[in-house]
Short mmCIF file of all heavy atoms in Angstrom, two decimals:
data_model
loop_
_atom_site.label_atom_id
_atom_site.label_comp_id
_atom_site.label_asym_id
_atom_site.label_seq_id
_atom_site.Cartn_x
_atom_site.Cartn_y
_atom_site.Cartn_z
N LEU J 37 5.09 -24.19 -28.51
CA LEU J 37 5.29 -22.88 -27.95
C LEU J 37 6.19 -22.07 -28.96
O LEU J 37 7.14 -22.59 -29.41
CB LEU J 37 6.00 -23.11 -26.57
CG LEU J 37 5.75 -22.13 -25.52
CD1 LEU J 37 4.29 -21.82 -25.31
CD2 LEU J 37 6.55 -22.56 -24.28
N GLU J 38 5.92 -20.85 -29.13
CA GLU J 38 6.75 -19.90 -29.93
C GLU J 38 7.10 -18.83 -28.94
O GLU J 38 6.28 -18.23 -28.35
CB GLU J 38 5.96 -19.34 -31.10
CG GLU J 38 6.69 -19.44 -32.40
CD GLU J 38 5.90 -18.95 -33.61
OE1 GLU J 38 4.71 -19.48 -33.92
OE2 GLU J 38 6.28 -17.86 -34.18
N TRP J 39 8.47 -18.59 -28.77
CA TRP J 39 8.97 -17.62 -27.87
C TRP J 39 9.20 -16.44 -28.54
O TRP J 39 9.95 -16.24 -29.57
CB TRP J 39 10.38 -18.15 -27.42
CG TRP J 39 10.30 -19.47 -26.47
CD1 TRP J 39 9.93 -20.67 -27.07
CD2 TRP J 39 10.29 -19.52 -25.17
NE1 TRP J 39 9.71 -21.54 -25.96
CE2 TRP J 39 10.01 -21.01 -24.77
CE3 TRP J 39 10.45 -18.55 -24.10
CZ2 TRP J 39 9.98 -21.43 -23.46
CZ3 TRP J 39 10.48 -19.13 -22.78
CH2 TRP J 39 10.26 -20.52 -22.45
N LYS J 40 8.54 -15.34 -28.13
CA LYS J 40 8.44 -14.08 -28.79
C LYS J 40 8.98 -12.90 -27.82
O LYS J 40 8.17 -12.34 -27.05
CB LYS J 40 7.07 -13.71 -29.25
CG LYS J 40 6.45 -14.63 -30.09
CD LYS J 40 7.11 -14.88 -31.63
CE LYS J 40 6.64 -13.76 -32.53
NZ LYS J 40 7.28 -13.98 -33.73
N PRO J 41 10.32 -12.67 -27.69
CA PRO J 41 10.79 -11.53 -26.93
C PRO J 41 10.35 -10.25 -27.67
O PRO J 41 10.28 -10.10 -28.84
CB PRO J 41 12.32 -11.67 -27.09
CG PRO J 41 12.54 -12.56 -28.26
CD PRO J 41 11.34 -13.29 -28.54
N PHE J 42 10.05 -9.20 -26.77
CA PHE J 42 9.74 -7.83 -27.40
C PHE J 42 10.11 -6.82 -26.32
O PHE J 42 10.49 -7.21 -25.20
CB PHE J 42 8.28 -7.80 -27.85
CG PHE J 42 7.23 -7.69 -26.76
CD1 PHE J 42 6.54 -6.56 -26.48
CD2 PHE J 42 6.96 -8.78 -25.92
CE1 PHE J 42 5.60 -6.41 -25.62
CE2 PHE J 42 6.11 -8.68 -24.85
CZ PHE J 42 5.29 -7.46 -24.69
N LEU J 43 9.92 -5.58 -26.75
CA LEU J 43 10.29 -4.55 -25.78
C LEU J 43 9.10 -3.81 -25.39
O LEU J 43 8.33 -3.25 -26.25
CB LEU J 43 11.34 -3.44 -26.35
CG LEU J 43 12.69 -4.10 -26.83
CD1 LEU J 43 13.52 -2.96 -27.28
CD2 LEU J 43 13.43 -4.62 -25.55
N LEU J 44 8.84 -3.60 -23.98
CA LEU J 44 7.64 -2.96 -23.49
C LEU J 44 7.94 -1.39 -23.42
O LEU J 44 7.02 -0.65 -23.55
CB LEU J 44 7.47 -3.28 -22.10
CG LEU J 44 6.32 -4.42 -21.94
CD1 LEU J 44 6.20 -4.69 -20.45
CD2 LEU J 44 5.00 -3.97 -22.43
N GLY J 45 9.21 -1.02 -23.32
CA GLY J 45 9.46 0.50 -23.22
C GLY J 45 8.72 1.28 -24.38
O GLY J 45 8.10 2.17 -24.12
N PRO J 46 9.11 1.01 -25.60
CA PRO J 46 8.50 1.82 -26.60
C PRO J 46 6.93 1.78 -26.69
O PRO J 46 6.21 2.69 -27.13
CB PRO J 46 8.99 1.16 -28.02
CG PRO J 46 10.04 0.17 -27.51
CD PRO J 46 9.88 -0.03 -26.13
N ILE J 47 6.36 0.59 -26.26
CA ILE J 47 4.87 0.47 -26.06
C ILE J 47 4.39 1.37 -24.98
O ILE J 47 3.30 2.03 -25.23
CB ILE J 47 4.48 -1.06 -25.96
CG1 ILE J 47 4.92 -1.87 -27.20
CG2 ILE J 47 3.01 -1.17 -25.66
CD1 ILE J 47 4.50 -3.28 -27.23
N PHE J 48 4.97 1.26 -23.87
CA PHE J 48 4.55 2.17 -22.76
C PHE J 48 4.69 3.55 -23.14
O PHE J 48 3.76 4.46 -22.87
CB PHE J 48 5.41 1.87 -21.47
CG PHE J 48 5.00 0.56 -20.68
CD1 PHE J 48 5.88 -0.02 -19.81
CD2 PHE J 48 3.71 -0.06 -20.98
CE1 PHE J 48 5.59 -1.08 -19.20
CE2 PHE J 48 3.38 -1.14 -20.27
CZ PHE J 48 4.36 -1.72 -19.29
N ASP J 49 5.80 3.91 -23.85
CA ASP J 49 6.02 5.30 -24.26
C ASP J 49 4.91 5.78 -25.13
O ASP J 49 4.36 6.82 -24.92
CB ASP J 49 7.46 5.32 -25.02
CG ASP J 49 7.98 6.70 -24.93
OD1 ASP J 49 7.48 7.61 -24.10
OD2 ASP J 49 8.83 7.11 -25.79
N ALA J 50 4.50 5.02 -26.11
CA ALA J 50 3.46 5.26 -27.06
C ALA J 50 2.10 5.38 -26.37
O ALA J 50 1.34 6.25 -26.73
CB ALA J 50 3.47 4.35 -28.26
N GLN J 51 1.87 4.47 -25.52
CA GLN J 51 0.49 4.33 -24.98
C GLN J 51 0.25 5.08 -23.68
O GLN J 51 -0.80 5.57 -23.33
CB GLN J 51 0.09 2.76 -24.65
CG GLN J 51 0.09 2.07 -26.04
CD GLN J 51 -0.33 0.53 -25.79
OE1 GLN J 51 -0.33 0.09 -24.69
NE2 GLN J 51 -0.43 -0.22 -26.95
N LEU J 52 1.23 5.18 -22.82
CA LEU J 52 1.16 5.78 -21.51
C LEU J 52 1.93 7.10 -21.41
O LEU J 52 1.82 7.74 -20.37
CB LEU J 52 1.46 4.81 -20.40
CG LEU J 52 1.02 3.37 -20.46
CD1 LEU J 52 1.55 2.48 -19.38
CD2 LEU J 52 -0.47 3.34 -20.38
N GLY J 53 2.72 7.39 -22.34
CA GLY J 53 3.42 8.56 -22.35
C GLY J 53 4.88 8.59 -21.49
O GLY J 53 5.31 9.61 -21.35
N THR J 54 5.21 7.43 -21.18
CA THR J 54 6.38 7.27 -20.43
C THR J 54 6.93 5.80 -20.68
O THR J 54 6.16 4.97 -20.59
CB THR J 54 6.38 7.63 -18.92
OG1 THR J 54 7.59 7.01 -18.39
CG2 THR J 54 5.21 6.87 -18.27
N ALA J 55 8.20 5.66 -20.85
CA ALA J 55 8.78 4.31 -20.94
C ALA J 55 8.98 3.66 -19.73
O ALA J 55 9.33 2.47 -19.66
CB ALA J 55 10.06 4.33 -21.81
N ASP J 56 8.96 4.30 -18.60
CA ASP J 56 9.05 3.72 -17.22
C ASP J 56 7.96 2.72 -17.00
O ASP J 56 6.91 2.81 -17.59
CB ASP J 56 9.16 4.83 -16.22
CG ASP J 56 9.84 4.36 -14.87
OD1 ASP J 56 10.17 3.13 -14.90
OD2 ASP J 56 9.86 5.10 -13.96
N SER J 57 8.27 1.86 -16.05
CA SER J 57 7.22 0.88 -15.64
C SER J 57 6.12 1.58 -14.95
O SER J 57 6.29 2.32 -14.01
CB SER J 57 7.94 -0.16 -14.68
OG SER J 57 6.79 -0.79 -14.10
N PRO J 58 4.79 1.11 -15.13
CA PRO J 58 3.68 1.71 -14.47
C PRO J 58 3.85 1.35 -13.02
O PRO J 58 3.36 2.03 -12.09
CB PRO J 58 2.45 0.93 -15.04
CG PRO J 58 2.87 0.54 -16.33
CD PRO J 58 4.37 0.30 -16.34
N PHE J 59 4.55 0.39 -12.59
CA PHE J 59 4.80 -0.01 -11.27
C PHE J 59 5.77 1.04 -10.61
O PHE J 59 5.71 1.22 -9.28
CB PHE J 59 5.43 -1.45 -10.96
CG PHE J 59 4.54 -2.48 -11.58
CD1 PHE J 59 4.95 -3.38 -12.60
CD2 PHE J 59 3.28 -2.60 -11.07
CE1 PHE J 59 4.17 -4.37 -12.95
CE2 PHE J 59 2.42 -3.70 -11.54
CZ PHE J 59 2.95 -4.41 -12.47
N ASN J 60 6.49 1.76 -11.26
CA ASN J 60 7.30 2.80 -10.72
C ASN J 60 6.47 4.11 -10.70
O ASN J 60 6.54 4.92 -9.80
CB ASN J 60 8.63 3.20 -11.46
CG ASN J 60 9.56 1.92 -11.23
OD1 ASN J 60 9.46 1.33 -10.20
ND2 ASN J 60 10.59 1.82 -12.16
N VAL J 61 5.61 4.27 -11.86
CA VAL J 61 4.94 5.51 -11.98
C VAL J 61 3.78 5.56 -10.85
O VAL J 61 3.52 6.72 -10.38
CB VAL J 61 4.30 5.67 -13.42
CG1 VAL J 61 3.31 6.76 -13.44
CG2 VAL J 61 5.36 5.66 -14.43
N HIS J 62 3.20 4.48 -10.57
CA HIS J 62 2.16 4.48 -9.62
C HIS J 62 2.55 3.61 -8.28
O HIS J 62 2.53 2.46 -8.40
CB HIS J 62 0.80 3.79 -10.11
CG HIS J 62 0.35 4.58 -11.47
ND1 HIS J 62 -0.10 5.78 -11.43
CD2 HIS J 62 0.43 4.12 -12.73
CE1 HIS J 62 -0.35 6.25 -12.68
NE2 HIS J 62 -0.19 5.22 -13.42
N PRO J 63 3.02 4.33 -7.30
CA PRO J 63 3.70 3.71 -6.17
C PRO J 63 2.82 2.65 -5.50
O PRO J 63 3.32 1.48 -5.07
CB PRO J 63 4.08 4.71 -5.16
CG PRO J 63 3.36 5.93 -5.62
CD PRO J 63 3.02 5.76 -7.17
N GLU J 64 1.45 2.80 -5.46
CA GLU J 64 0.58 1.98 -4.80
C GLU J 64 0.55 0.56 -5.63
O GLU J 64 0.44 -0.63 -5.02
CB GLU J 64 -0.82 2.46 -4.59
CG GLU J 64 -1.63 2.95 -5.70
CD GLU J 64 -1.11 4.21 -6.45
OE1 GLU J 64 -0.39 5.02 -5.74
OE2 GLU J 64 -1.24 4.32 -7.59
N ARG J 65 0.68 0.72 -7.04
CA ARG J 65 0.60 -0.48 -7.84
C ARG J 65 2.02 -1.22 -7.65
O ARG J 65 2.04 -2.44 -7.63
CB ARG J 65 0.45 -0.18 -9.30
CG ARG J 65 -1.10 0.15 -9.49
CD ARG J 65 -1.46 0.70 -10.87
NE ARG J 65 -2.70 1.26 -10.71
CZ ARG J 65 -3.73 0.66 -11.36
NH1 ARG J 65 -3.65 -0.28 -12.39
NH2 ARG J 65 -5.01 1.12 -11.21
N GLY J 66 2.98 -0.39 -7.50
CA GLY J 66 4.47 -1.07 -7.41
C GLY J 66 4.53 -1.80 -5.96
O GLY J 66 4.90 -2.93 -5.94
N ARG J 67 3.96 -1.21 -4.91
CA ARG J 67 3.95 -1.88 -3.72
C ARG J 67 3.30 -3.24 -3.68
O ARG J 67 3.80 -4.21 -3.15
CB ARG J 67 3.33 -1.00 -2.52
CG ARG J 67 4.29 -0.15 -1.91
CD ARG J 67 3.66 0.50 -0.64
NE ARG J 67 2.44 1.30 -0.89
CZ ARG J 67 2.46 2.57 -1.29
NH1 ARG J 67 3.72 3.26 -1.35
NH2 ARG J 67 1.46 3.37 -1.54
N TYR J 68 2.12 -3.21 -4.32
CA TYR J 68 1.31 -4.46 -4.40
C TYR J 68 2.08 -5.43 -5.33
O TYR J 68 2.24 -6.62 -4.91
CB TYR J 68 0.03 -4.16 -5.13
CG TYR J 68 -0.75 -5.53 -5.31
CD1 TYR J 68 -1.34 -6.11 -4.36
CD2 TYR J 68 -0.83 -6.02 -6.56
CE1 TYR J 68 -2.07 -7.35 -4.55
CE2 TYR J 68 -1.55 -7.31 -6.88
CZ TYR J 68 -2.05 -7.90 -5.83
OH TYR J 68 -2.67 -9.12 -6.14
N MET J 69 2.69 -5.07 -6.39
CA MET J 69 3.42 -5.96 -7.39
C MET J 69 4.50 -6.68 -6.55
O MET J 69 4.65 -7.89 -6.75
CB MET J 69 3.79 -5.09 -8.54
CG MET J 69 4.45 -6.05 -9.57
SD MET J 69 6.20 -6.32 -9.25
CE MET J 69 6.95 -4.73 -9.74
N TRP J 70 5.34 -5.92 -5.85
CA TRP J 70 6.53 -6.43 -5.22
C TRP J 70 6.01 -7.68 -4.19
O TRP J 70 6.67 -8.65 -4.07
CB TRP J 70 7.39 -5.54 -4.54
CG TRP J 70 8.08 -4.59 -5.54
CD1 TRP J 70 7.84 -3.35 -5.65
CD2 TRP J 70 8.90 -5.00 -6.61
NE1 TRP J 70 8.60 -2.86 -6.85
CE2 TRP J 70 9.34 -3.87 -7.35
CE3 TRP J 70 9.54 -6.18 -6.95
CZ2 TRP J 70 10.24 -3.80 -8.37
CZ3 TRP J 70 10.48 -6.19 -8.14
CH2 TRP J 70 10.76 -5.09 -8.72
N ARG J 71 4.94 -7.33 -3.52
CA ARG J 71 4.50 -8.29 -2.51
C ARG J 71 3.88 -9.57 -3.26
O ARG J 71 4.20 -10.71 -2.83
CB ARG J 71 3.41 -7.69 -1.63
CG ARG J 71 2.70 -8.67 -0.62
CD ARG J 71 3.71 -9.30 0.37
NE ARG J 71 3.02 -10.27 1.18
CZ ARG J 71 3.54 -11.47 1.35
NH1 ARG J 71 4.69 -11.85 0.91
NH2 ARG J 71 2.89 -12.41 2.06
N ASP J 72 3.01 -9.12 -4.19
CA ASP J 72 2.56 -10.23 -5.14
C ASP J 72 3.60 -11.17 -5.71
O ASP J 72 3.30 -12.35 -5.72
CB ASP J 72 1.67 -9.56 -6.17
CG ASP J 72 0.62 -10.50 -6.74
OD1 ASP J 72 0.06 -11.29 -6.00
OD2 ASP J 72 0.41 -10.55 -7.94
N LEU J 73 4.66 -10.59 -6.18
CA LEU J 73 5.66 -11.41 -6.69
C LEU J 73 6.33 -12.39 -5.77
O LEU J 73 6.49 -13.68 -6.00
CB LEU J 73 6.76 -10.61 -7.28
CG LEU J 73 6.68 -10.59 -8.88
CD1 LEU J 73 7.27 -11.81 -9.58
CD2 LEU J 73 5.36 -10.16 -9.45
N GLU J 74 6.64 -11.93 -4.52
CA GLU J 74 7.05 -12.75 -3.42
C GLU J 74 5.99 -14.04 -3.22
O GLU J 74 6.53 -15.19 -3.25
CB GLU J 74 7.05 -12.02 -2.16
CG GLU J 74 8.30 -11.30 -1.82
CD GLU J 74 8.02 -10.52 -0.42
OE1 GLU J 74 6.94 -10.70 0.18
OE2 GLU J 74 9.00 -9.76 -0.13
N ARG J 75 4.85 -13.66 -3.15
CA ARG J 75 3.86 -14.70 -2.87
C ARG J 75 3.73 -15.62 -4.14
O ARG J 75 3.65 -16.91 -3.91
CB ARG J 75 2.36 -14.02 -2.66
CG ARG J 75 2.21 -13.43 -1.39
CD ARG J 75 0.73 -13.07 -1.20
NE ARG J 75 0.13 -12.33 -2.40
CZ ARG J 75 -0.57 -11.22 -2.32
NH1 ARG J 75 -0.92 -10.72 -1.09
NH2 ARG J 75 -1.11 -10.74 -3.37
N LEU J 76 3.80 -15.16 -5.20
CA LEU J 76 3.58 -15.99 -6.52
C LEU J 76 4.84 -16.93 -6.64
O LEU J 76 4.61 -18.07 -6.87
CB LEU J 76 3.61 -15.19 -7.81
CG LEU J 76 2.18 -14.60 -8.10
CD1 LEU J 76 2.33 -13.78 -9.43
CD2 LEU J 76 1.18 -15.74 -8.36
N CYS J 77 6.07 -16.34 -6.38
CA CYS J 77 7.24 -17.24 -6.31
C CYS J 77 7.08 -18.35 -5.26
O CYS J 77 7.57 -19.35 -5.55
CB CYS J 77 8.39 -16.39 -6.30
SG CYS J 77 8.85 -15.33 -7.78
#
Side-chain angles (χ1 to χ4, degrees):
Chain J
L37 212 51
E38 230 179 293
W39 297 72
K40 304 293 274 182
F42 75 111
L43 297 181
L44 264 182
I47 295 180
F48 284 161
D49 204 18
Q51 295 179 352
L52 308 177
T54 165
D56 196 2
S57 165
F59 296 124
N60 289 339
V61 175
H62 304 294
E64 58 291 332
R65 287 172 190 244
R67 268 192 300 277
Y68 174 75
M69 182 275 285
W70 294 116
R71 174 64 187 134
D72 198 37
L73 255 286
E74 271 179 4
R75 285 188 313 221
L76 281 177
C77 289

